[in-house]
Amino acid sequence: MAAILRGSRCLAEKCHNHVNAAQVSIRSMASKTQVGFIGLGNMGNPMAKNLMKHGYPVIASDVFPESCKELRELGAQILDSPADVADKADRIVTMLPSSPNVIDVYTGPNGILKRVKKGSLLIDSSTIDPAVSKEMAVAAEKLGAVFMDAPVSGGVGAATSGKLTFMVGGPEEEFNAAKELLSCMGANVVYCGQVGTGQAAKICNNMLLAIGMIGTAETMNLGIRLGLDPKLLAKILNMSSGRCWSSDTYNPVPGVMEGVPSANNYQGGFGTTLMAKVCFVFTFTPVPLGSLAHQIYRMMCARGYASKDFSSVFQFLREEEGQ
Amino acid sequence: MAAILRGSRCLAEKCHNHVNAAQVSIRSMASKTQVGFIGLGNMGNPMAKNLMKHGYPVIASDVFPESCKELRELGAQILDSPADVADKADRIVTMLPSSPNVIDVYTGPNGILKRVKKGSLLIDSSTIDPAVSKEMAVAAEKLGAVFMDAPVSGGVGAATSGKLTFMVGGPEEEFNAAKELLSCMGANVVYCGQVGTGQAAKICNNMLLAIGMIGTAETMNLGIRLGLDPKLLAKILNMSSGRCWSSDTYNPVPGVMEGVPSANNYQGGFGTTLMAKVCFVFTFTPVPLGSLAHQIYRMMCARGYASKDFSSVFQFLREEEGQ
Amino acid sequence: MAAILRGSRCLAEKCHNHVNAAQVSIRSMASKTQVGFIGLGNMGNPMAKNLMKHGYPVIASDVFPESCKELRELGAQILDSPADVADKADRIVTMLPSSPNVIDVYTGPNGILKRVKKGSLLIDSSTIDPAVSKEMAVAAEKLGAVFMDAPVSGGVGAATSGKLTFMVGGPEEEFNAAKELLSCMGANVVYCGQVGTGQAAKICNNMLLAIGMIGTAETMNLGIRLGLDPKLLAKILNMSSGRCWSSDTYNPVPGVMEGVPSANNYQGGFGTTLMAKVCFVFTFTPVPLGSLAHQIYRMMCARGYASKDFSSVFQFLREEEGQ
Amino acid sequence: MAAILRGSRCLAEKCHNHVNAAQVSIRSMASKTQVGFIGLGNMGNPMAKNLMKHGYPVIASDVFPESCKELRELGAQILDSPADVADKADRIVTMLPSSPNVIDVYTGPNGILKRVKKGSLLIDSSTIDPAVSKEMAVAAEKLGAVFMDAPVSGGVGAATSGKLTFMVGGPEEEFNAAKELLSCMGANVVYCGQVGTGQAAKICNNMLLAIGMIGTAETMNLGIRLGLDPKLLAKILNMSSGRCWSSDTYNPVPGVMEGVPSANNYQGGFGTTLMAKVCFVFTFTPVPLGSLAHQIYRMMCARGYASKDFSSVFQFLREEEGQ
């Protein structure tokens, strides 16, 4: 009967995926049933804990057994492989480092899709190529499951405090089901459009951030050279049209703000090497500043800044004394 | 007594300007005496009117007699030359298009400094090279007058409504006297440091704005190409680390915001040619994105975008249909 | 028997490619036996004809039957698919538009590798991603064949006159066998190293060309603006340290040289869109100018220069009259 | 009478300068009379010696007395000031570090123009802003003298061996007189057009050189990363369309060529700081690569490469091991 209900909705809505609607509704009705979680790294671990805090039993897996220890002690069930998790849970969140990991966790020999249940909701919060998200969605759909991309904005701090922003792509009719879980882990859950648009939104934000940070670093360096006090300059920019997140929230100049990497010798934060590895070049659209920003982060990596926070571009561009 | 205090402080501090302290105090005490105003263009005209609204008699001059007509009808006294104005008023505001105009209005044969009174306060709101501001200050100081640079942020609208931001450089002890006048014309009057730092602050803000606008245009183009709705993308950026003035206040994509040039075919606003003419290259500090932004505005000018608002860079970078 | 010899050598030498040395010598000895040719486009067609002129019987195939007509009339045997060609010839040259075509022609359902003979020599002259070349080499090796990448420098003219330059990557011991064929089609056949290095050399050359052309266009525009005669400027550059191929052989300024696209309204030559599509970004190495050059060609495509020769960047950057 | 002759020539030739033609001819006829030389630095010293080798008595001056010692020992007459030199010689060559020095040596209180003789030929081989050259020419012309700009290409080695290239701007009818002297010091003397065009040609060449060097460094780095041998890659580029002076004459990769700074730890050669200080931004013409090249040299200066040869950009962009 479930199949029938589902089928009728599909007919009615000209839907593009064949997920069983009844199972979807079972998912919703029994919402505090177990949730799968694959990838218990720096981000995934606190995210899974927040799911548990909200009353969801978690069934987790990670390639590194030691990563599972903390969650196991908190009562999560730890299984050997993504396939095992898919066998037990029909809602699964994945949080993985890169596209190849996602491909493996979903389509590999012990991957989710090997044993995924019809009607399952698969939410990938990894930051990857939108084209890979689309491929995973097609593969999942063939097995009657729904794949959504939901990359996050915010770092380990936001993951711990449940203040992440999720940018979600996938079938609009599944968004509420995804939001139910994601809102346990984030303060904002934004629907972006069809599958892949979550990744697209994240790429866009990262590119503008990459530009804004270097622009801010250049501007602060220039102003200091021209005789301005850095705190005062930041204040002026922030009340004017030069204002941006890098100037008012994450200022790259030591001494201007507290609680940011520039106040701590550029430790922590978002590594320059990550910024350099982000690829902006998915389309034929001209992105001259985005592209140059990318190259500058690469130059920084070549000159020893790889593991510092990306705001250390201020230091990289700063003239040494006596010149 | 003011003079005594002033004199003694100067001796004690090895001060660098020789303005007559007694006259300064006369200026302050008789604050609603006449104020000179040179340069009645699109910006200067509403600024001078705001001074009059606040009860200051204005004595004005402009190289174009027709520019003076409106102010004369409002009761201002119009004189032939800056020198004539300097002969009558000991507080003068200048608002001129570029460095050569400022040099001429101050040091030319009919310039202010030909007949400036000792103790006069000369406030230049033009946007010029900080080095020229410093030269003018030195020349004024030799004649016992004080020169301050006070460029503005905000366009004709802000000039009309008295909502400009002034960035002021010059002797700190003269800042209050300058602020008294400038606050009639602006909502924010910020002290930036020694002479030239007002210009420096403005250059810095303009450079970061130049970068932020192109970055926003690239990002919006990229996102649209990747399937995102522009309004939604702007919303996501504005709640994330990509946020900047160009994304949240002056979005370059038609249809995203109202009341900005992109909503009006890039008419009005801040011309690309102005953005291209701004010179960021006053120091040896590396400004790779600032420099490339500058070049992109130049390319736009070469391709027919000179008179459009600078946010038309969105259109310049947009791929044409069918590619 | 060849197969037996082959196997034994491999066992003995733990070799990295499994080509049978005896067959290699058979190939060489019987050099004027038939050669396969896949891809009879603008480049492939004259290349195949040059092979025939040198006395090689050609067995060809192309997805577009009409492309085969001319060669058939000249006496070539035309077959239906790459697999059919591989069935008949043990030396095959491929000349295809892009990576996906190469993947299909080699590994597709009717691809060369479906029926490749052990010991065959497969030479790909397409310009593609070096990583794809490496994949093809691995796949060929598993079947006992040798794959070499041999992209060309030079256009249709050089293909017709047999003056191409081939940059060849693959096992050094096979280079002579490849050179025997390639020297019928080109004036220079350069061994670059292991498989993929032919593509790498071509990418490197294209990147430096892309930079040199824009640099030359900027320089010529600047010099003209500063009052220099373009022919004289080109002459000065060409005897000085600014000299490059784009200034002395392919000058982008109309009137400076004859027989180049700039002398013919930028018709013919190498399309800007091709330059914009070349991807330089295969590694983590910083390439700031290469990357910006790439973006400038993209901007040109967005502004209507897609189908003009890439030297039209001179025109793209030229200020319009009256500015 | 001289004035009459002169006047008649002017009428006949629609000439643009008022130099006395008769005196010009006196200069030519008495060609091995004394020549003035101002500026005996690293370049000026060997240049003046070459004049003497060709039989010209030299009357010299330099702000640093010790710079004059060697020339005095060789028999040159050393005077206190440029004005003194101008009093004795009607042909003067100047070789100075920058625009302010040129302004001072010509128009300062002890400058050439204080005592210049009518009809004198003043040749400035300094590399300066073309606008300054034009100013000097106007000032000289008012006193009946001819000023020509003649900056050089080539370093101390070329100056010593008399192999410099001179790019000469000024009245065409004076070019032969200038060439007579300059050909004692250089292998090429090229007439570029009206005054300032010599500087313009030099700026253009330097900009294209600045771009070509970074482009070559990027390309060589990329190729090495992609598995190519640097010597082989240089050879391939140099026979292809990527060829440029930086790849074939001054290759930036250690081990590729001998006798260049890259073979000697980037000692000697042309300092990065000089490259960074060259200003390309004299006009409104877009020069995106030139501008970015400039910024990259600035970044190098900020990171400790200021005193290395500019080809050390190869090292600056090279990824460190293990990345």
Side-chain angles (χ1 to χ4, degrees):
Chain A
M1 191 194 76
I4 295 170
L5 283 175
R6 169 106 195 144
S8 61
R9 196 183 67 165
C10 276
L11 289 172
E13 295 175 21
K14 194 165 174 277
C15 75
H16 292 288
N17 76 74
H18 306 153
V19 175
N20 187 305
Q23 283 199 305
V24 169
S25 70
I26 289 165
R27 268 199 258 129
S28 302
M29 286 161 65
S31 73
K32 296 270 161 138
T33 59
Q34 51 208 7
V35 173
F37 204 107
I38 318 285
L40 298 173
N42 290 337
M43 294 293 291
N45 194 49
M47 287 167 70
K49 288 201 283 190
N50 278 323
L51 272 177
M52 293 176 75
K53 276 186 202 160
H54 280 76
Y56 290 93
V58 164
I59 305 179
S61 186
D62 191 286
V63 283
F64 299 109
E66 63 271 34
S67 300
C68 306
K69 203 180 154 208
E70 190 182 354
L71 222 60
R72 189 199 311 270
E73 286 168 3
L74 289 170
Q77 187 179 354
I78 307 299
L79 299 181
D80 281 350
S81 73
D84 293 341
V85 172
D87 199 38
K88 301 252 181 178
D90 64 1
R91 292 179 296 179
I92 304 177
V93 177
T94 52
M95 187 62 178
L96 302 158
S98 67
S99 292
N101 304 107
V102 170
I103 293 170
D104 188 52
V105 158
Y106 279 88
T107 67
N110 292 308
I112 290 171
L113 298 185
K114 279 283 181 270
R115 301 227 289 275
V116 72
K117 299 180 188 182
K118 285 209 178 192
S120 287
L121 176 63
L122 311 172
I123 303 173
D124 180 39
S125 286
S126 319
T127 292
I128 59 169
D129 184 342
V132 172
S133 300
K134 288 177 190 171
E135 284 174 32
M136 296 302 106
V138 168
E141 193 183 334
K142 285 181 183 160
L143 300 165
V146 176
F147 175 95
M148 301 184 86
D149 59 311
V152 302
S153 161
V156 172
T160 303
S161 62
K163 295 280 175 59
L164 294 166
T165 292
F166 288 91
M167 290 158 276
V168 185
E172 192 162 8
E173 64 271 23
E174 303 287 355
F175 176 61
N176 281 337
K179 190 173 179 180
E180 184 197 317
L181 297 181
L182 297 176
S183 56
C184 304
M185 303 181 278
N188 294 298
V189 184
V190 186
Y191 182 66
C192 296
Q194 59 182 353
V195 72
T197 53
Q199 299 295 348
K202 174 141 194 201
I203 288 167
C204 286
N205 187 68
N206 274 5
M207 186 169 84
L208 193 45
L209 169 60
I211 293 167
M213 179 54 80
I214 300 179
T216 302
E218 292 179 10
T219 302
M220 296 297 298
N221 261 319
L222 177 62
I224 293 166
R225 189 74 173 193
L226 290 171
L228 288 160
D229 172 75
K231 269 195 168 177
L232 175 63
L233 175 55
K235 184 186 143 196
I236 293 170
L237 295 173
N238 294 340
M239 60 194 276
S240 310
S241 49
R243 169 178 54 80
C244 62
W245 184 88
S246 298
S247 69
D248 70 15
T249 304
Y250 204 89
N251 198 289
V253 183
V256 168
M257 296 181 69
E258 294 190 1
V260 291
S262 63
N264 189 27
N265 200 23
Y266 303 108
Q267 302 299 306
F270 191 70
T272 300
T273 192
L274 289 172
M275 217 48 161
K277 275 176 179 160
V278 169
C279 187
F280 307 139
V281 201
F282 294 98
T283 78
F284 205 61
T285 305
V287 288
L289 292 195
S291 175
L292 179 53
H294 194 206
Q295 294 294 325
I296 291 169
Y297 292 117
R298 285 192 184 187
M299 283 189 241
M300 290 172 66
C301 290
R303 294 269 62 76
Y305 287 74
S307 62
K308 295 191 177 189
D309 179 70
F310 75 119
S311 65
S312 61
V313 63
F314 170 75
Q315 198 178 66
F316 176 71
L317 295 173
R318 188 176 54 190
E319 299 163 84
E320 287 160 359
E321 298 303 319
Q323 294 188 13
Chain B
M1 193 193 79
I4 294 170
L5 284 175
R6 173 140 190 108
S8 60
R9 197 180 67 166
C10 276
L11 288 172
E13 294 175 22
K14 194 167 175 278
C15 76
H16 292 288
N17 78 75
H18 305 153
V19 176
N20 187 305
Q23 280 198 306
V24 168
S25 68
I26 289 167
R27 267 200 259 130
S28 302
M29 287 161 66
S31 73
K32 295 272 161 136
T33 58
Q34 50 208 8
V35 173
F37 204 107
I38 317 285
L40 299 172
N42 291 336
M43 294 293 290
N45 194 48
M47 288 168 70
K49 287 201 285 190
N50 277 324
L51 271 177
M52 293 175 76
K53 277 186 201 160
H54 280 76
Y56 291 92
V58 164
I59 305 179
S61 185
D62 191 286
V63 283
F64 299 109
E66 63 270 32
S67 300
C68 305
K69 203 180 152 207
E70 191 182 353
L71 221 60
R72 188 199 313 267
E73 285 167 3
L74 289 169
Q77 187 180 354
I78 306 300
L79 300 180
D80 283 348
S81 74
D84 292 340
V85 172
D87 199 39
K88 302 251 182 180
D90 63 1
R91 292 180 295 179
I92 304 177
V93 177
T94 53
M95 187 62 178
L96 303 157
S98 67
S99 292
N101 304 107
V102 170
I103 292 170
D104 188 52
V105 158
Y106 280 88
T107 66
N110 293 308
I112 290 171
L113 299 185
K114 281 283 182 269
R115 301 226 290 274
V116 71
K117 299 179 188 183
K118 285 210 177 191
S120 287
L121 176 63
L122 311 172
I123 303 173
D124 180 39
S125 285
S126 319
T127 293
I128 59 168
D129 183 341
V132 172
S133 300
K134 288 178 191 171
E135 285 173 31
M136 295 302 106
V138 168
E141 193 184 335
K142 285 180 183 161
L143 300 165
V146 175
F147 175 95
M148 301 184 86
D149 58 312
V152 302
S153 161
V156 172
T160 304
S161 61
K163 294 282 176 57
L164 293 167
T165 293
F166 288 92
M167 291 159 275
V168 185
E172 191 162 8
E173 63 270 23
E174 303 287 354
F175 176 61
N176 280 337
K179 190 174 179 180
E180 184 196 317
L181 297 181
L182 297 176
S183 56
C184 303
M185 303 181 277
N188 294 298
V189 184
V190 186
Y191 182 67
C192 296
Q194 59 181 353
V195 73
T197 53
Q199 299 295 349
K202 174 140 193 203
I203 288 167
C204 286
N205 187 69
N206 273 6
M207 185 170 86
L208 193 46
L209 169 61
I211 294 168
M213 178 53 81
I214 300 179
T216 301
E218 292 180 11
T219 300
M220 296 299 297
N221 261 319
L222 177 63
I224 291 165
R225 189 74 173 193
L226 290 171
L228 288 161
D229 172 75
K231 268 196 171 177
L232 176 63
L233 175 54
K235 183 187 142 197
I236 293 171
L237 296 173
N238 293 341
M239 60 194 276
S240 309
S241 49
R243 168 177 56 78
C244 62
W245 185 88
S246 297
S247 69
D248 70 14
T249 303
Y250 205 89
N251 198 287
V253 183
V256 168
M257 297 181 68
E258 296 189 0
V260 291
S262 63
N264 188 27
N265 201 23
Y266 304 107
Q267 303 299 306
F270 191 71
T272 300
T273 192
L274 289 172
M275 219 47 162
K277 276 177 177 160
V278 169
C279 187
F280 306 140
V281 201
F282 294 98
T283 78
F284 205 60
T285 305
V287 288
L289 292 195
S291 175
L292 180 54
H294 193 206
Q295 294 293 326
I296 291 169
Y297 292 116
R298 283 191 184 188
M299 284 188 241
M300 292 173 67
C301 290
R303 296 268 62 75
Y305 287 74
S307 63
K308 294 191 177 190
D309 179 69
F310 74 119
S311 65
S312 61
V313 63
F314 170 75
Q315 198 178 67
F316 176 70
L317 295 173
R318 190 176 54 190
E319 298 163 85
E320 286 159 359
E321 298 303 318
Q323 293 189 13
Chain C
M1 188 193 82
I4 295 170
L5 285 175
R6 169 136 199 106
S8 61
R9 196 185 65 168
C10 277
L11 288 174
E13 295 175 21
K14 194 165 173 280
C15 72
H16 291 289
N17 77 73
H18 303 159
V19 176
N20 187 300
Q23 278 199 311
V24 169
S25 69
I26 289 166
R27 270 199 255 127
S28 301
M29 287 163 65
S31 73
K32 297 273 162 136
T33 59
Q34 48 208 10
V35 173
F37 204 106
I38 318 284
L40 299 172
N42 291 337
M43 293 293 291
N45 194 48
M47 287 167 70
K49 288 201 284 190
N50 277 325
L51 272 177
M52 293 176 75
K53 277 187 201 159
H54 279 76
Y56 291 93
V58 165
I59 306 179
S61 185
D62 191 287
V63 283
F64 300 108
E66 63 271 35
S67 300
C68 305
K69 204 180 151 205
E70 191 182 353
L71 222 61
R72 188 198 313 268
E73 285 167 4
L74 290 169
Q77 187 179 355
I78 307 299
L79 300 181
D80 282 348
S81 73
D84 292 341
V85 172
D87 199 40
K88 301 252 180 179
D90 64 359
R91 292 180 295 180
I92 305 178
V93 177
T94 52
M95 187 62 177
L96 302 157
S98 66
S99 292
N101 304 106
V102 171
I103 292 170
D104 188 53
V105 159
Y106 280 88
T107 66
N110 293 308
I112 290 170
L113 299 186
K114 280 284 182 267
R115 301 227 288 275
V116 71
K117 300 181 187 182
K118 286 209 177 193
S120 286
L121 177 63
L122 311 172
I123 303 173
D124 180 39
S125 286
S126 319
T127 292
I128 59 168
D129 183 341
V132 172
S133 300
K134 288 177 192 171
E135 285 174 32
M136 296 302 106
V138 168
E141 193 183 335
K142 285 180 182 161
L143 299 165
V146 175
F147 175 96
M148 301 184 87
D149 58 311
V152 302
S153 161
V156 172
T160 303
S161 60
K163 295 281 176 59
L164 293 168
T165 292
F166 288 91
M167 290 159 276
V168 185
E172 192 161 7
E173 64 271 24
E174 303 287 353
F175 176 62
N176 281 337
K179 190 174 179 179
E180 184 196 316
L181 297 182
L182 298 176
S183 56
C184 303
M185 303 181 277
N188 294 298
V189 184
V190 186
Y191 181 66
C192 297
Q194 59 180 352
V195 72
T197 54
Q199 300 295 348
K202 175 141 193 202
I203 288 167
C204 286
N205 187 67
N206 274 6
M207 186 170 85
L208 193 46
L209 169 60
I211 293 168
M213 178 54 80
I214 300 179
T216 302
E218 292 179 12
T219 301
M220 297 298 296
N221 261 318
L222 177 63
I224 292 166
R225 188 73 173 193
L226 290 171
L228 288 160
D229 172 75
K231 269 195 168 174
L232 175 63
L233 175 54
K235 184 186 143 197
I236 293 171
L237 295 174
N238 293 341
M239 60 194 275
S240 310
S241 49
R243 167 178 56 79
C244 63
W245 184 88
S246 297
S247 69
D248 69 16
T249 303
Y250 204 90
N251 198 289
V253 183
V256 167
M257 297 180 69
E258 293 189 2
V260 290
S262 63
N264 188 27
N265 200 23
Y266 304 107
Q267 302 299 306
F270 190 70
T272 300
T273 193
L274 290 171
M275 218 46 160
K277 275 177 179 159
V278 168
C279 187
F280 307 140
V281 201
F282 294 97
T283 78
F284 206 60
T285 305
V287 289
L289 292 195
S291 176
L292 180 54
H294 195 207
Q295 294 294 326
I296 291 169
Y297 292 116
R298 284 191 185 189
M299 284 189 242
M300 291 172 67
C301 289
R303 295 269 61 77
Y305 287 75
S307 63
K308 295 191 176 189
D309 179 69
F310 75 119
S311 66
S312 61
V313 63
F314 170 75
Q315 199 178 66
F316 176 71
L317 295 174
R318 188 175 54 188
E319 299 163 85
E320 287 160 358
E321 298 303 319
Q323 295 189 10
Chain D
M1 189 195 78
I4 296 170
L5 284 175
R6 171 107 196 141
S8 61
R9 195 183 68 166
C10 278
L11 288 173
E13 295 175 21
K14 195 165 172 279
C15 75
H16 291 288
N17 76 76
H18 305 153
V19 175
N20 187 306
Q23 281 198 308
V24 169
S25 70
I26 288 165
R27 266 200 259 130
S28 301
M29 287 161 65
S31 75
K32 296 272 163 137
T33 58
Q34 49 208 6
V35 172
F37 204 106
I38 318 285
L40 299 173
N42 291 336
M43 294 293 290
N45 194 49
M47 288 168 70
K49 287 201 284 191
N50 278 323
L51 272 177
M52 292 175 76
K53 277 186 201 160
H54 280 75
Y56 291 93
V58 164
I59 306 179
S61 186
D62 192 285
V63 283
F64 299 108
E66 64 270 34
S67 300
C68 305
K69 203 180 152 206
E70 191 182 353
L71 221 61
R72 188 199 312 267
E73 286 166 4
L74 290 170
Q77 186 179 356
I78 307 299
L79 300 181
D80 282 348
S81 73
D84 293 340
V85 172
D87 198 40
K88 301 251 181 177
D90 64 1
R91 291 180 296 179
I92 304 177
V93 177
T94 52
M95 187 62 177
L96 302 158
S98 67
S99 291
N101 304 107
V102 170
I103 293 170
D104 188 53
V105 159
Y106 281 87
T107 66
N110 293 308
I112 290 170
L113 299 186
K114 280 283 181 268
R115 301 225 290 274
V116 71
K117 301 180 186 182
K118 284 207 178 193
S120 288
L121 176 63
L122 311 172
I123 303 173
D124 180 38
S125 285
S126 319
T127 293
I128 59 168
D129 183 343
V132 172
S133 301
K134 288 177 190 170
E135 284 173 33
M136 296 302 106
V138 168
E141 193 184 334
K142 285 181 183 160
L143 300 166
V146 175
F147 175 96
M148 301 184 86
D149 58 310
V152 302
S153 162
V156 172
T160 303
S161 61
K163 295 282 176 57
L164 293 167
T165 293
F166 289 91
M167 290 159 276
V168 185
E172 191 161 9
E173 64 270 23
E174 303 287 355
F175 176 61
N176 280 337
K179 190 174 180 179
E180 184 196 316
L181 297 182
L182 297 177
S183 56
C184 303
M185 303 181 276
N188 294 297
V189 184
V190 186
Y191 182 66
C192 296
Q194 59 181 351
V195 72
T197 54
Q199 299 295 349
K202 174 141 193 202
I203 288 167
C204 286
N205 187 68
N206 274 5
M207 185 170 86
L208 193 45
L209 169 61
I211 293 168
M213 178 53 80
I214 300 179
T216 301
E218 292 180 11
T219 301
M220 296 298 296
N221 262 318
L222 177 63
I224 291 166
R225 188 74 174 191
L226 289 171
L228 288 160
D229 173 75
K231 268 196 169 174
L232 176 63
L233 175 55
K235 183 186 143 198
I236 294 170
L237 295 173
N238 293 341
M239 61 194 276
S240 309
S241 49
R243 167 177 57 78
C244 63
W245 184 87
S246 297
S247 69
D248 69 15
T249 303
Y250 205 88
N251 199 288
V253 184
V256 168
M257 298 181 67
E258 295 188 2
V260 290
S262 63
N264 189 27
N265 200 23
Y266 304 107
Q267 302 300 307
F270 191 69
T272 300
T273 192
L274 289 172
M275 219 46 162
K277 276 177 178 158
V278 169
C279 186
F280 307 140
V281 201
F282 294 96
T283 78
F284 205 60
T285 305
V287 288
L289 293 194
S291 176
L292 180 53
H294 194 207
Q295 293 294 326
I296 291 170
Y297 292 117
R298 283 192 186 188
M299 284 188 243
M300 291 173 66
C301 290
R303 296 267 61 76
Y305 287 74
S307 63
K308 294 191 176 188
D309 179 70
F310 75 118
S311 66
S312 61
V313 64
F314 169 75
Q315 198 178 66
F316 176 70
L317 295 174
R318 189 175 54 190
E319 298 164 85
E320 286 160 0
E321 298 303 319
Q323 294 190 12

